[in-house]
């Protein structure tokens, strides 16, 4: 494989890992606050549908991205109402959110199926982007990619270095103690859920605005669920999310290349690879690690303040 | 008594009422604390002490009543507001975060403008001034109960509070650690800070406080100078009725019914304790106590003895002559063992299940309530009723959900459920934790009577008074190791306390030898 | 604004029954608003969705035929959900049951493998294979949870995609009808490989009976047996279940096997009763809709029976609405999501008194 082709492959690996990075990062923050939101798939596909609809209508990618974020936040607010305010079982509420999101996105996106628009432009920096090999790999992406990495860096810094990040980790560790000390458990959790929704919406918008770029019902194809698995795989650490997402992105790209190269394997088997890989990676992670060692201690537990 | 009568009290409560649904936890309570005063809040479990201090610290909102600080009426709607008014609190069940470091735990409550950078120096300063050793970078889960409490106190002192509330601070400490705590509290008093000290240990109150407010069933029943009272008169005020003394029944020791031989097990949970070479034996008619500070392996020991966890070697645990190390809970029950875990809600009993269903929970193999895989709920209801009558369990309705019972009544129910099965071996963990005095006495009496009927009883407890009251011998567990048993009638609290700190680790083998 | 939840001292039967009905009413109201926003008539939509299917004999039968897989899967899921285990991959177990059982039908097509035996054994063997296929497929996430502590939620869901792709593969590949003009489907099953109909010329097949039996047996299991007690105890208080001497690992495997077996049975009943051949897609999302059925039915067998009929109605109404109102099929999915949310909220109201306080926190 020549360096030029390798570079192209690596560029596509980065591109296919970006929605996973963004969605998983949002879910990571949500889970660090102690809330398990299984509705990532639903929020993501709403972001994809509304993002594309807005971008197509206005002709602006930025408006589209913002619409995707807004859709994700709206869905997350619904989830927050159910789980944080009403203390409803988070697993059941997350499933409901996904079922609802998949249906509603199909309904709202019905008028946009089959329409085409140009993808988000790449930020070509004259000179730098033309550098041999690394030029395209580092400087040849669209704005979403840089935004994703900036988000990871900010979240990593915020979680470990700021007081509000510390407070959120404390709430995810033990909400009873946090409440006793006067930390705003429910408000923090609600905001964390909204952040997760914003990220999922953005990840969805990336799919329909930059990655494909068109809208098709069900186009997230389980990426929201894989993002959930990635958070576990990353042991709730931001930079490990990037690592995991690149591995998955790589697997996806390899599978596409394998299909193109027609190795004689059934296409369905190759398509199943990401899902099987998710299961295998969850298994690999749990071997050797003490059970749920890295998970926030209060993850998935509803909190009802005594008053 | 007040040095300056003209000054309004630092804290003044008037007519505080707190209702939870239909239950009145605090009923029109008045309380004054002067500047520099050490004030005791005394009462037995369920008297409403914790509720009252949570109101003072802004965790709970009072249903009625007013709070004034320096004579000025205030609303404390959050702990932050209370802290801003100079009120600090050291919680009973520590409000710490296991997976954060000591410094991070402290940082959480400091005002926002405070920089995190200077924190380390200030922790060191408080640590030196009050002689409380602290390591800022340790994760909290790795610390002992005493160390955890020091973090709580340091966190409180860093806010320079005028009033420090301490909720049952010595309940998790060894006697030696408690002495250290009192030295720190004396230093606080010398600086002119007020203390609100919650306890039901009367000696501590007399040692530290010049005023005491006594609560019973949510009401203030008396206010006095504890140094002028005798422990007996205080106890009478606290309980309201004479508690029956335990009648120690004379009983002959029989054969060994429970033998544990070199039991070792790695911790199963993330922050658990490894057990190392625990050996013990209990004869029929004997009560063996296991003392120790919480978190030194008691939970693990109970799990392994009950069969919730099993061990590789069957001979490690012998119950009534049968090697049952590999047998589960049911197998051990079928060989005459019974168990009472520490936690009532969710371990000994399922809160949302009815009492009859809770009988099925632990007696499905031994109580005749299941036949050919089918549950006989009529029989279970009869059994539940028998338990309720025999152990004076107060309940509402014929077969209510377990969660509707008060702590003491539910505890009597779960203890009674096991004892009515006439077990040959009974293993109990903290049977009177958070239980009122009358129920505690009834439970202890039931254990003594069971032993008198020939059963072997193993009592795991953190309450030294309880252990000395009813045990024949006491062993001490520390960091997963069990000391050799001491004769309870000859041993002193100091000896036991020293073992609780792990001071004499290598003694077990020597004592076994003779 | 803040929302306070005060536990209700005791649960009342009236509230327990009223809650799901109110939830359904609320969901229909929300659905009506959405239909109105889409520029259609809400009253007409209500009639198409919820009234007209109930007026004709054939659509009533269709209702029972669609409710059958939903009830079978949901009653199986109720074992898992009561034990607080989250099998959300029933869709995959349904597909695997249909695939494995359907394979036998294709393999024995036109007398193959039958020899002197005749064809009488084929149908029972297909049902057995369906049950086994579903159960084994459900045991994968259960075993991973028991052995390695891997969350059953994600693995069971991932396996849905895998099962769907597997079915897609066999229907287009090895089991495709060689004389089928390259249509991606298997041969039409022989009569011996078709589930008998309850009456001549009707749509109701034997699967409906399976569902009723499963519901009745489960009602008995939960009310009377120690196993039913065990399932509920593990869900309510897992530590107490350990103390009771019940093995949570064994129970995890058991409830997953039961729910997988029932989903697999539903799958083969659908393939052998309703469809009559293997196709790349055999389920309109029954496995996910059944989750809603289980919750709407409050995990009780009788409730699940009623709820399966309600959700089956949304499928039939949804198909009719596509034709009559040009409402896309996604409307049904979105409505089901809203319904589940309403059910969950109504459930809160049965356990707590909800107080909403406006303004800043006191």
């Amino acid at each position: 494989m020549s360096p030029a082709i390798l570079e192209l492959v690596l560029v596509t690996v980065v591109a296919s890992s970006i929605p996973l990075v963004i969605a998983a990062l949002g879910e990571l923050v949500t889970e660090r606050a102690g809330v398990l939101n299984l509705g990532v798939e639903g929020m993501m596909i709403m972001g994809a549908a509304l993002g594309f609809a807005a971008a197509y209508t206005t002709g602006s990618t930025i408006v589209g991205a913002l619409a995707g974020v807004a859709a994700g936040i709206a869905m997350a607010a619904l989830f927050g109402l159910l789980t944080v305010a009403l203390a409803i079982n988070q697993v059941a509420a997350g499933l409901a959110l996904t079922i609802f999101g998949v249906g509603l996105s199909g309904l709202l996106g019905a008028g946009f199926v089959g329409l085409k628009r140009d993808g988000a432009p790449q930020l070509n920096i004259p000179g730098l982007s033309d550098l041999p090999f690394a030029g395209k790999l580092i400087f040849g992406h669209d704005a979403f990619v840089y935004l994703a990495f900036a988000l990871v860096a900010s979240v990593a810094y915020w979680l470990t270095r700021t007081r509000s990040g510390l407070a959120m980790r404390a709430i995810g560790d033990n909400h009873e103690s946090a409440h006793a000390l006067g930390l705003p458990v429910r408000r923090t959790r609600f905001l964390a859920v909204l952040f997760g929704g914003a990220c999922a919406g953005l990840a969805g918008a990336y799919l329909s605005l930059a990655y494909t770029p068109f809208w098709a019902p069900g186009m997230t194809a389980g990426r929201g669920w894989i993002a959930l698995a990635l958070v576990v795989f990353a042991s709730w650490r931001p930079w490990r999310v990037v690592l995991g997402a690149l591995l998955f992105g790589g697997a996806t790209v390899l599978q596409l290349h394998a299909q193109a190269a027609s190795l004689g394997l059934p296409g369905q088997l190759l398509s199943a690879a990401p899902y099987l890989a998710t299961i295998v990676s969850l298994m690999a992670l749990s071997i050797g690690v003490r059970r749920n060692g890295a998970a926030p201690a209060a993850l998935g537990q509803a909190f009802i303040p005594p008053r | 008594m007040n040095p300056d009568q003209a000054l309004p009290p630092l804290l003044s409560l008037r007519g505080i009422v707190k209702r939870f649904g239909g239950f009145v936890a605090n009923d029109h309570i008045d309380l004054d604390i002067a500047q520099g005063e050490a004030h005791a809040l005394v009462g037995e479990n369920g008297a409403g002490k914790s509720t009252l201090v949570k109101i003072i610290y802004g965790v709970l909102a009072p249903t009625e009543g007013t709070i004034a600080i320096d004579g000025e009426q205030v609303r404390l709607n959050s702990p932050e507001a209370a802290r801003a008014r100079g009120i600090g609190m050291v919680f009973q069940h520590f409000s710490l975060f296991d997976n954060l470091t000591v410094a991070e735990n402290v940082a959480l409550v400091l005002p926002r403008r405070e920089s995190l950078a200077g924190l380390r120096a200030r922790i060191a300063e408080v640590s030196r001034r009050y002689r409380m050793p602290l390591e800022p970078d340790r994760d909290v889960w790795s610390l002992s109960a005493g160390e955890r409490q020091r973090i709580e106190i340091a966190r409180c002192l860093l806010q320079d509070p005028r009033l420090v509330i301490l909720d049952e601070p010595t309940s998790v400490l060894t006697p030696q650690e408690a002495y250290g705590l009192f030295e720190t509290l004396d230093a606080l008093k010398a600086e002119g800070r007020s203390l609100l000290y919650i306890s039901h240990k009367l000696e501590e109150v007399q040692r530290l406080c010049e005023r005491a407010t006594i609560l019973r069933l949510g009401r203030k029943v008396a206010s006095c100078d504890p140094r002028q009272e005798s422990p007996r008169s205080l106890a009478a005020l606290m309980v309201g009725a004479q508690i029956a003394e335990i009648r120690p029944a004379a009983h002959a020791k029989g054969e060994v019914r429970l033998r544990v031989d070199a039991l070792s097990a790695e911790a199963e949970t993330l922050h658990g304790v490894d057990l190392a070479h625990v050996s013990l034996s209990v004869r029929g008619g004997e009560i063996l106590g296991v003392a120790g500070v919480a978190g030194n392996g008691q939970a693990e020991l109970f799990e392994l003895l009950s069969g919730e966890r099993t061990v590789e070697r069957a001979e490690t645990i012998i119950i009534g002559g049968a090697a049952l190390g590999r047998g589960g809970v049911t197998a051990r029950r079928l060989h005459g063992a019974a168990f009472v875990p520490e936690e009532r809600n969710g371990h000994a009993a399922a809160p949302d299940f009815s009492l009859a269903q809770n009988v099925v929970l632990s007696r499905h193999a031994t109580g005749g309530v299941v036949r050919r895989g089918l549950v006989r709920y009529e029989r279970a209801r009869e059994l539940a009723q028998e338990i309720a009558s025999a152990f004076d369990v107060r309940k509402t309705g014929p077969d209510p959900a377990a969660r509707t019972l008060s702590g003491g009544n539910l505890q009597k129910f779960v203890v009674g459920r096991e004892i009515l099965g006439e077990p040959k071996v009974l293993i109990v963990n903290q049977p009177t934790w958070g239980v009122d005095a009358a129920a505690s006495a009834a439970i202890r009496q039931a254990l003594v009577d069971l032993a008198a009927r020939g059963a072997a009883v193993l009592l795991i407890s953190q309450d030294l008074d309880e252990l000395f009251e009813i045990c024949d011998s006491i062993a001490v567990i520390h960091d997963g190791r069990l000391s050799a048993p001491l004769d309870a009638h000859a041993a002193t609290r100091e000896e036991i306390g020293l073992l609780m700190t792990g001071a004499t680790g290598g003694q077990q083998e020597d004592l076994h030898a003779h | 604004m803040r929302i306070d939840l005060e536990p209700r001292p005791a649960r009342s039967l009236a509230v327990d029954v009223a809650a799901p009905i109110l939830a359904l009413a609320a969901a229909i109201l929300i659905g009506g608003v959405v239909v109105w926003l889409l520029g259609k008539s809400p009253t007409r939509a209500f009639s198409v969705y919820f009234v007209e299917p109930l007026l004709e004999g054939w659509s009533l039968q269709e209702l029972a035929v669609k409710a059958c897989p939903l009830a079978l899967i949901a009653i199986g899921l109720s074992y898992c959900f009561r034990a607080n285990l989250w099998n959300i991959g029933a869709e995959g177990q349904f597909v695997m049951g249909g695939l494995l059982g359907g394979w036998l039908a294709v393999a024995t097509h036109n007398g193959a493998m039958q020899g002197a035996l005749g064809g009488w054994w084929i149908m029972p063997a297909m049902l057995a294979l369906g049950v086994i296929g579903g159960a084994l497929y459900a045991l994968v996430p259960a075993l991973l949870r028991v052995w390695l502590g891997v969350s059953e939620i994600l693995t069971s869901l991932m396996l849905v995609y895998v099962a769907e792709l597997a079915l897609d593969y066999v229907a287009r590949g090895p089991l495709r009808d060689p004389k089928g003009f390259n249509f991606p489907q298997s041969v039409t099953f022989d009569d011996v490989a078709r589930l008998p109909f309850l009456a001549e010329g009707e749509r109701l097949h034997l699967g409906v009976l399976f569902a009723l039996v499963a519901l009745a047996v489960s009602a008995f299991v939960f009310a009377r047996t120690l196993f039913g007690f065990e399932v509920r105890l593990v869900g309510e208080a897992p530590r107490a279940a350990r103390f009771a001497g019940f093995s949570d690992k064994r129970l995890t495997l058991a409830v997953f096997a039961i729910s997988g077996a029932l989903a697999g049975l539903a799958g083969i009943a659908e393939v052998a009763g309703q469809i009559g051949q293997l196709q790349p897609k055999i389920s309109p999302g029954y496995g996910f809709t059944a989750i809603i059925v289980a919750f709407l039915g409050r995990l009780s067998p009788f409730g699940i029976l009623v709820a399966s009929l309600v959700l089956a109605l949304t499928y039939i109404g949804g198909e009719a609405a596509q034709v009559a109102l040009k409402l896309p099929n996604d409307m049904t999915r979105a409505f089901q999501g809203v319904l589940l949310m309403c059910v969950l909220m109504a459930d809160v109201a049965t356990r707590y008194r909800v107080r909403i306080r406006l303004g800043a926190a006191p």
Side-chain angles (χ1 to χ4, degrees):
Chain A
M1 203 183 270
S2 74
I5 293 181
L6 183 63
E7 184 188 6
L8 269 179
V9 170
L10 289 178
V11 168
T12 49
V13 166
V14 171
S16 65
S17 66
I18 287 305
L20 296 177
V21 169
I22 301 176
L25 188 71
E27 178 66 14
L28 181 143
V29 169
T30 305
E31 292 192 11
R32 273 297 187 98
V35 183
L36 176 67
N37 186 351
L38 291 185
V40 180
E41 180 84 1
M43 302 189 295
M44 202 167 167
I45 197 154
M46 281 292 286
L50 289 193
F52 185 84
Y56 189 86
T57 313
T58 62
S60 156
T61 302
I62 290 177
V63 172
L66 289 176
V69 169
I73 290 179
M75 293 284 284
L78 189 57
F79 180 80
L81 172 72
L82 294 172
T83 58
V84 179
L86 294 176
I88 285 170
N89 181 297
Q90 293 170 10
V91 177
L95 286 174
L97 197 72
T98 288
I99 294 173
F100 174 63
V102 170
L104 190 63
S105 65
L107 207 55
L108 298 176
F112 296 88
V113 175
L115 298 179
K116 283 247 157 67
R117 66 184 295 277
D118 290 334
Q122 274 143 27
L123 298 182
N124 280 316
I125 302 166
L128 287 179
S129 301
D130 303 327
L131 286 174
F133 192 67
K136 280 264 183 319
L137 190 56
I138 299 177
F139 300 104
H141 300 285
D142 50 60
F144 284 99
V145 176
Y146 302 104
L147 182 61
F149 280 92
L151 267 177
V152 172
S154 325
V155 167
Y157 177 85
W158 177 73
L159 271 178
T160 51
R161 297 268 178 269
T162 69
R163 182 192 296 271
S164 55
L166 172 63
M168 197 190 82
R169 283 190 287 138
I171 287 167
D173 189 37
N174 184 341
H175 49 224
E176 308 282 354
S177 292
H179 178 73
L181 287 183
L183 299 178
V185 175
R186 293 199 294 177
R187 189 178 11 161
T188 306
R189 287 198 167 159
F190 194 77
L191 291 175
V193 167
L194 292 189
F195 180 80
C199 286
L202 183 66
Y206 172 81
L207 283 178
S208 64
L209 296 178
Y211 188 66
T212 46
F214 55 80
W215 157 251
M219 68 184 294
T220 45
R223 282 190 180 83
W225 294 103
I226 292 177
L228 275 159
L230 265 181
V231 178
V232 181
F233 179 76
S235 306
W236 291 267
R237 308 247 171 87
W239 285 109
R240 292 195 197 171
V241 163
V242 177
L243 182 72
L246 285 172
L247 286 176
F248 271 96
T252 315
V253 170
L254 271 184
Q255 164 237 321
L256 289 174
H257 282 271
Q259 292 207 13
S262 63
L263 296 174
L265 292 171
Q268 290 91 345
L269 178 64
L270 295 169
S271 302
Y275 311 113
L276 292 171
T278 304
I279 295 173
V280 170
S281 65
L282 288 175
M283 286 165 61
L285 185 81
S286 65
I287 298 172
V289 177
R290 267 194 178 170
R291 190 162 288 198
N292 294 328
L299 182 61
Q301 295 166 19
F303 175 66
I304 301 173
R307 195 69 204 170
Chain B
M1 285 226 273
N2 223 335
D4 190 348
Q5 293 292 346
L7 265 181
L10 170 63
L11 176 76
S12 175
L13 307 184
R14 285 291 170 272
I16 295 290
V17 177
K18 179 64 187 176
R19 290 192 196 92
F20 295 103
F23 172 69
V24 184
N26 285 167
D27 190 358
H28 293 92
I29 292 178
D30 297 341
L31 177 72
D32 287 318
I33 300 174
Q35 187 81 43
E37 174 181 297
H39 195 115
L41 192 57
V42 185
E44 63 168 324
N45 290 306
K49 296 168 297 182
S50 289
T51 303
L52 188 65
V53 293
K54 280 182 184 159
I55 289 172
I56 298 173
Y57 193 56
V59 180
L60 293 173
T63 315
E64 286 173 33
T66 60
I67 302 172
I69 290 175
D70 297 327
E72 180 199 346
Q73 197 167 320
V74 292
R75 269 186 65 190
L76 302 172
N77 51 27
S78 73
E80 217 155 25
R83 288 197 292 265
R85 298 273 179 181
I87 299 173
M89 170 124 182
V90 177
F91 284 90
Q92 176 185 19
H93 300 294
F94 306 118
S95 61
L96 296 177
F97 303 92
D98 279 345
N99 295 309
L100 302 184
T101 65
V102 173
E104 286 175 328
N105 266 281
V106 173
L108 276 169
V109 291
L110 296 182
R112 283 171 201 290
R113 57 181 184 282
E114 197 111 12
S115 87
L116 295 180
L119 184 66
R120 202 165 302 259
R122 295 201 43 202
I123 292 177
E125 206 252 340
V126 165
S127 168
R128 195 173 54 246
R129 185 151 126 212
Y130 298 101
R131 274 175 283 164
M132 299 190 300
L134 286 169
E135 298 166 79
D137 293 323
R138 284 278 291 275
D139 276 349
V140 165
W141 62 264
S142 66
L143 303 177
S144 75
E147 291 169 302
R148 284 159 180 248
Q149 189 177 57
R150 290 203 288 271
I151 307 172
E152 283 261 350
I153 296 173
R155 182 160 75 180
C156 175
L157 293 179
L158 277 174
Q159 303 158 65
D160 194 20
R162 298 168 62 204
L163 169 66
V164 178
I165 306 171
L166 298 114
D167 191 358
E168 306 258 6
T170 57
S171 60
V172 291
L173 301 184
T174 64
Q176 285 79 3
E177 283 174 321
Y179 299 144
L181 171 69
F182 284 129
E183 281 181 20
T184 302
L185 295 183
D186 284 336
L188 291 179
K189 269 169 73 179
E191 289 176 336
R193 300 182 205 272
S194 304
L195 299 178
L196 180 56
Y197 188 88
I198 296 150
S199 183
H200 58 248
K201 295 186 184 167
L202 305 170
E203 299 79 15
E204 294 176 4
V205 168
Q206 291 180 317
R207 150 93 169 69
L208 195 69
C209 302
E210 56 262 28
R211 299 278 319 150
T213 294
I214 294 148
L215 300 185
R216 191 197 314 150
L217 299 174
R219 290 215 181 84
K220 174 175 171 178
V221 290
S223 176
C224 62
D225 181 342
R227 293 164 302 186
Q228 311 293 319
E229 304 281 332
S230 71
R232 181 167 285 275
S233 66
L234 273 176
L237 282 170
M238 196 166 98
V239 177
Q242 202 62 36
I243 297 296
E245 296 228 347
I246 308 288
R247 294 169 279 106
H251 41 263
K253 304 281 184 290
E255 60 195 277
V256 170
R257 292 194 179 278
L258 171 67
R259 184 191 294 282
V260 177
D261 178 35
L263 170 63
S264 298
E266 271 186 40
E268 224 177 20
T269 55
L270 186 61
H271 305 324
V273 179
D274 298 341
L275 289 191
H277 287 91
V278 171
S279 297
L280 58 87
S281 64
V282 194
R283 297 196 289 171
E286 183 186 359
I287 302 181
L288 171 65
V290 173
V293 175
N296 272 291
Q298 291 97 327
E300 288 80 2
L301 180 62
F302 180 84
E303 276 188 352
L304 287 156
L305 292 184
S306 70
E308 290 176 43
R309 274 176 75 191
T310 53
V311 288
E312 287 289 311
R313 202 169 64 94
E315 291 75 28
T316 303
I317 296 167
I318 295 175
I319 294 171
L324 285 168
R326 303 167 69 113
V329 185
T330 303
R332 295 181 194 193
R333 285 197 184 114
L334 287 169
H335 279 88
F339 316 95
V340 181
E342 173 179 4
E343 178 64 47
R344 294 182 278 281
N345 283 307
H347 195 179
D352 281 329
F353 278 32
S354 74
L355 293 185
Q357 288 173 320
N358 273 299
V359 167
V360 178
L361 194 155
S362 77
R363 301 288 303 280
H364 56 85
T366 57
V369 292
V370 174
R371 187 185 286 163
R372 283 194 225 99
L374 299 185
V375 182
R376 301 162 69 200
Y377 282 110
E378 336 70 59
R379 175 79 194 106
R381 270 190 290 274
E382 285 167 24
L383 209 50
Q385 191 51 53
E386 272 176 51
I387 296 165
S389 319
F391 284 80
D392 186 30
V393 177
R394 314 272 167 86
K395 58 194 174 70
T396 53
D399 192 18
R403 68 181 159 85
T404 62
L405 267 58
S406 74
N409 279 310
L410 184 55
Q411 188 67 22
K412 282 193 283 185
F413 180 80
V414 298
V415 171
R417 178 180 69 186
E418 306 307 325
I419 286 183
L420 272 199
E422 284 300 321
K424 296 284 178 278
V425 174
L426 181 68
I427 295 162
V428 287
N429 191 3
Q430 297 273 42
T432 60
W433 178 257
V435 170
D436 61 272
S440 296
I443 288 168
R444 287 172 195 160
Q445 187 67 57
L447 295 178
V448 169
D449 293 346
L450 181 72
R453 294 198 294 275
V457 176
L458 183 74
L459 168 62
I460 303 169
S461 179
Q462 290 159 46
D463 185 340
L464 282 184
D465 297 336
E466 173 169 276
L467 291 167
F468 276 109
E469 190 173 5
I470 66 172
C471 290
D472 300 299
S473 44
I474 300 174
V476 178
I477 192 166
H478 177 262
D479 197 19
R481 293 165 186 278
L482 190 72
S483 77
L486 306 176
D487 182 346
H489 307 291
T492 64
R493 299 176 71 89
E494 282 65 33
E495 275 177 85
I496 302 282
L498 218 56
L499 287 169
M500 283 162 74
T501 59
T504 46
Q507 229 174 21
Q508 183 163 8
E509 287 77 10
D510 307 341
L511 286 172
H512 259 307
H514 72 129
Chain C
M1 186 185 109
R2 53 174 289 147
I3 296 175
D4 284 341
L5 303 175
E6 290 174 11
R8 288 181 191 275
R11 303 187 64 141
S12 85
L13 184 66
V15 175
D16 275 5
V17 172
I21 296 172
L22 281 176
L24 182 60
I28 288 174
L29 207 66
I30 295 169
V33 172
V34 172
V35 167
W36 178 70
L37 288 174
L38 290 170
K40 318 272 163 130
S41 153
T43 49
R44 177 90 186 89
F46 179 79
S47 160
V48 170
Y49 264 94
F50 295 103
V51 182
E52 284 166 20
L54 297 175
L55 300 179
E56 288 181 56
W58 73 266
S59 57
L60 280 176
Q61 284 202 26
E62 195 63 30
L63 192 68
V65 168
K66 284 234 165 22
C68 159
L70 291 177
L72 268 176
I73 302 170
I75 194 69
L77 289 178
S78 74
Y79 285 83
C80 287
F81 295 169
R82 276 178 192 247
N84 207 11
L85 290 165
W86 296 93
N87 176 9
I88 60 174
E91 179 83 359
Q93 295 139 27
F94 178 93
V95 166
M96 273 303 175
L99 194 162
L100 210 59
W103 162 79
L104 185 66
V106 176
T108 58
H109 181 56
N110 272 343
M113 281 171 68
Q114 293 179 17
L117 220 50
W120 60 268
W121 57 277
I122 292 176
M123 193 62 241
M126 282 170 66
L127 292 175
L129 279 178
V131 166
I132 291 168
L136 287 181
Y137 208 59
L139 279 174
V140 175
L143 284 170
L144 289 180
R145 181 189 157 96
V146 168
W147 282 339
L148 300 174
V150 176
S151 157
E152 78 280 13
I153 303 173
L154 292 171
T155 46
S156 64
L157 191 277
M158 288 292 142
L159 287 172
V160 173
Y161 291 98
V162 176
E164 284 175 341
L165 287 162
L167 176 65
D168 189 80
Y169 169 66
V170 299
R172 293 173 198 277
L175 297 187
R176 190 179 61 193
D177 180 4
K179 297 178 204 128
F181 308 102
N182 256 348
F183 277 113
Q185 58 194 32
S186 76
V187 293
T188 307
F189 296 172
D190 298 341
D191 280 350
V192 287
R194 292 297 300 268
L195 213 49
F197 289 98
L198 290 180
E200 200 63 38
E202 305 267 330
R203 307 262 305 125
L204 286 183
H205 54 73
L206 209 55
V208 178
L209 215 58
F210 296 161
L212 291 175
V213 170
L215 289 167
V217 169
S218 299
F220 179 77
V221 166
F222 287 129
R224 300 287 308 159
T225 67
L226 187 62
F227 178 73
F229 179 83
E230 191 177 336
V231 171
R232 279 192 301 149
L233 184 60
V234 167
E236 286 272 350
R239 277 187 82 195
R242 268 178 91 181
F243 176 63
F246 302 142
S247 153
D248 51 351
K249 296 186 172 181
R250 199 175 53 87
L251 187 92
T252 302
L253 298 179
V255 294
F256 266 81
I258 290 171
S259 74
L262 290 172
L265 179 63
I268 186 58
E270 184 74 5
V271 169
Q274 175 82 342
I275 306 174
Q277 63 181 178
L278 281 178
Q279 296 170 351
K281 202 165 163 48
I282 57 171
S283 164
Y286 285 138
F288 295 110
T289 306
I291 296 173
I292 304 170
V293 171
F295 278 106
L296 182 62
R298 304 189 67 104
L299 306 183
S300 89
F302 181 73
I304 285 172
L305 175 64
V306 176
S308 67
L309 291 167
V310 171
L311 268 297
L313 196 57
T314 67
Y315 273 120
I316 296 170
E319 283 167 14
Q322 258 182 305
V323 180
L325 295 166
K326 304 271 176 296
L327 273 173
N329 210 11
D330 294 304
M331 180 70 204
T332 308
R333 181 54 74 82
F335 175 78
Q336 291 180 351
V338 170
L339 178 58
L340 180 49
M341 288 189 221
C342 291
V343 168
L344 295 172
M345 280 198 262
D347 199 49
V348 173
T350 65
R351 285 178 294 136
Y352 299 96
R353 234 179 243 116
V354 181
R355 285 171 203 263
I356 299 170
R357 299 200 176 128
L358 298 172

